[in-house]
């Protein structure tokens, strides 16, 4: 009887393994690549401020400020963050059976072609990648997208982002889905990426 119970438990574990659905989610700016796209802010007093994606990641939105994200419709002077793109390569090489690799960004949908072209230029097959451009920088927008994927069957979620606010929003999903493996990792590699400045010789 013990042997039969052990066999049934083994079969149950194997069934869970076969039904496992892995979701690998990556932010774009300062996670996959560092670019020269900036946010232009006009304060309520008319003061002009320019923010990098890294600075914006820790910025508290002010409803009385005006935010201009138009530079994010293009990928300007991108520098690859290889620690993350290598993870994407490994995920894609593992095959798409039971696995989804997604780019989840606050950028507007108008930027999708530029992002695709850049990823293709560094050798990533974008036909195997899901693109979700939210046009919304609210951390809850990313958490909601991932929650929808969990409801659709994802059982193992790995999320990479440079924004602590986004990481915390996704981590809170663990309370809603205790049986789902959710790992949200903060990315700080962009801080070590050198500026790509062309030196002009006279």
């Amino acid at each position: 009887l013990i042997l039969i119970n052990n066999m049934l438990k083994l079969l149950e574990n194997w069934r869970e393994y076969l039904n496992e659905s892995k979701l690998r989610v990556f932010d774009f700016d300062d996670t996959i690549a560092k670019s020269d796209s900036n946010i232009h802010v006009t304060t309520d007093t008319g003061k002009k401020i320019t923010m990098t994606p890294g600075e914006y990641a820790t910025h508290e939105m002010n409803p009385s400020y005006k935010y201009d994200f138009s530079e994010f419709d293009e990928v300007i002077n991108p520098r690859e963050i290889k620690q993350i793109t290598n993870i994407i390569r490994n995920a894609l090489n593992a095959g798409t059976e039971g696995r989804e690799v997604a780019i989840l960004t606050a950028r507007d949908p108008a930027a999708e072609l530029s992002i695709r072209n850049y990823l293709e230029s560094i050798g990533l097959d974008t036909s195997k990648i899901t693109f979700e451009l939210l046009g919304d920088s609210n951390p809850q927008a990313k958490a909601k997208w991932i929650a929808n994927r969990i409801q659709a069957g994802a059982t193992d979620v790995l999320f990479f982002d440079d924004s602590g606010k986004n990481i915390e929003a996704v981590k809170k999903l663990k309370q809603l889905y205790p049986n789902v493996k959710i790992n949200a990792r903060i990315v700080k590699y962009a801080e070590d990426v050198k500026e790509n400045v062309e030196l002009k010789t006279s």
Side-chain angles (χ1 to χ4, degrees):
L1 186 62
I2 294 174
L3 182 62
I4 292 173
N5 285 336
N6 286 341
M7 287 184 66
L8 288 173
K9 189 173 182 180
L10 194 65
L11 285 170
E12 185 178 336
N13 291 339
W14 179 244
R15 190 179 299 112
E16 286 180 3
Y17 173 77
L18 289 177
N19 292 334
E20 187 176 53
S21 178
K22 294 183 178 181
L23 176 65
R24 303 294 179 252
V25 186
F26 302 85
D27 171 49
F28 182 74
D29 289 287
D30 282 10
T31 299
I32 290 174
K34 183 174 183 176
S35 79
D36 290 338
S37 300
N38 291 318
I39 303 98
H40 298 281
V41 184
T42 304
T43 70
D44 50 354
T45 61
K47 183 181 178 181
K48 305 286 186 181
I49 301 172
T50 299
M51 290 185 188
T52 65
E55 290 168 338
Y56 181 75
T58 58
H59 171 71
E60 291 295 330
M61 291 287 285
N62 188 321
S64 62
Y65 288 8
K66 292 182 179 179
Y67 295 85
D68 177 4
F69 299 94
S70 58
E71 286 189 10
F72 288 86
D73 288 350
E74 301 292 334
V75 177
I76 302 172
N77 190 24
R79 281 87 77 198
E80 180 181 0
I81 299 175
K82 293 184 179 180
Q83 295 94 329
I84 300 300
T85 56
N86 285 339
I87 294 172
I88 297 175
R89 288 185 179 91
N90 290 338
L92 293 175
N93 289 338
T96 54
E97 184 68 31
R99 184 190 312 270
E100 181 181 14
V101 177
I103 307 297
L104 181 63
T105 171
R107 284 190 183 226
D108 191 82
E112 182 174 339
L113 181 59
S114 293
I115 292 176
R116 281 183 179 272
N117 288 342
Y118 170 67
L119 296 180
E120 289 285 351
S121 77
I122 60 173
L124 295 175
D125 184 355
T126 59
S127 69
K128 297 178 180 178
I129 299 174
T130 299
F131 286 83
E132 187 64 34
L133 289 87
L134 298 166
D136 186 350
S137 59
N138 187 328
Q140 293 305 318
K142 289 190 175 183
K144 182 179 179 181
W145 187 88
I146 291 173
N148 287 338
R149 280 299 196 270
I150 291 172
Q151 290 168 16
T155 59
D156 181 344
V157 178
L158 184 54
F159 174 63
F160 294 88
D161 201 300
D162 68 296
S163 167
K165 291 178 286 186
N166 293 339
I167 293 296
E168 288 305 312
V170 171
K171 280 183 175 179
K172 287 179 180 177
L173 294 176
K174 294 179 182 181
Q175 300 169 13
L176 297 175
Y177 306 100
N179 296 324
V180 175
K181 188 188 300 181
I182 300 173
N183 190 343
R185 298 183 186 176
I186 190 80
V187 175
K188 293 297 183 184
Y189 297 121
E191 297 172 359
D192 300 323
V193 175
K194 293 180 181 179
E195 297 300 324
N196 187 8
V197 180
E198 292 185 7
L199 297 177
K200 295 182 179 179
T201 56
S202 56

